[in-house]
Amino acid sequence: MVSSLAYNFFANNDICMVWSMLAELQTPPIVTTDLLYLRFIGDRSIQEKDFGRIQVDRVFEMQKLADNIKIVEDERIKLAIIAANNHYAGFGPGTANVFRNMLGLSDAKWQDRKESLEQEQQ
């Protein structure tokens, strides 16, 4: 019952409940604002020298969260921020694209985005 009080407090005060996917912890997919913030955080078992390619298959757990997003997206979600670090599966940008595909979105072209940002800064 304590968690219900917390979620109600978040919702009543427009505080975003962060959905986190960690090896030992998964927060419940509860919507408390019109912002959805999801973090894919790794357990640091992948060393930095090995980053650059997906090394750990996280498709099953990612699909569960993609399904949850599809269920709540029509509720009141106006903006979703989804972050993946390299420690989660080995390559954050690749993880992001896998998740984008699960949501029916096309791959992000990271090099194109980098060049676009650089041009905006000039």
Side-chain angles (χ1 to χ4, degrees):
M1 204 44 102
V2 172
S3 60
S4 294
L5 291 172
Y7 303 140
N8 287 336
F9 177 81
F10 291 169
N12 292 335
N13 290 282
D14 205 28
I15 299 170
C16 177
M17 171 73 182
V18 178
W19 298 6
S20 292
M21 178 59 72
L22 297 140
E24 62 280 344
L25 171 74
Q26 181 178 348
T27 56
I30 295 174
V31 176
T32 57
T33 67
D34 61 357
L35 168 67
L36 176 65
Y37 179 35
L38 168 61
R39 302 177 328 150
F40 292 107
I41 309 295
D43 61 8
R44 305 236 175 238
S45 61
I46 302 171
Q47 297 180 0
E48 286 188 37
K49 67 178 181 59
D50 297 323
F51 291 163
R53 64 181 175 82
I54 295 202
Q55 300 177 53
V56 179
D57 182 1
R58 304 279 192 184
V59 169
F60 179 76
E61 59 196 35
M62 290 173 65
Q63 187 61 58
K64 288 193 311 187
L65 283 168
D67 293 342
N68 286 328
I69 287 175
K70 290 174 185 175
I71 290 168
V72 302
E73 70 182 335
D74 292 332
E75 282 185 33
R76 61 177 182 175
I77 304 299
K78 293 181 182 173
L79 175 67
I81 299 172
I82 301 170
N85 72 10
N86 286 336
H87 290 285
Y88 184 69
F91 185 51
T95 300
N97 275 336
V98 168
F99 198 68
R100 287 177 61 87
N101 294 160
M102 290 176 176
L103 295 174
L105 302 170
S106 61
D107 284 354
K109 306 276 191 278
W110 302 109
Q111 187 61 34
D112 294 346
R113 181 70 181 135
K114 178 182 174 189
E115 291 168 2
S116 173
L117 288 171
E118 288 172 352
Q119 289 175 356
E120 288 175 16
Q121 293 173 349
Q122 293 177 1

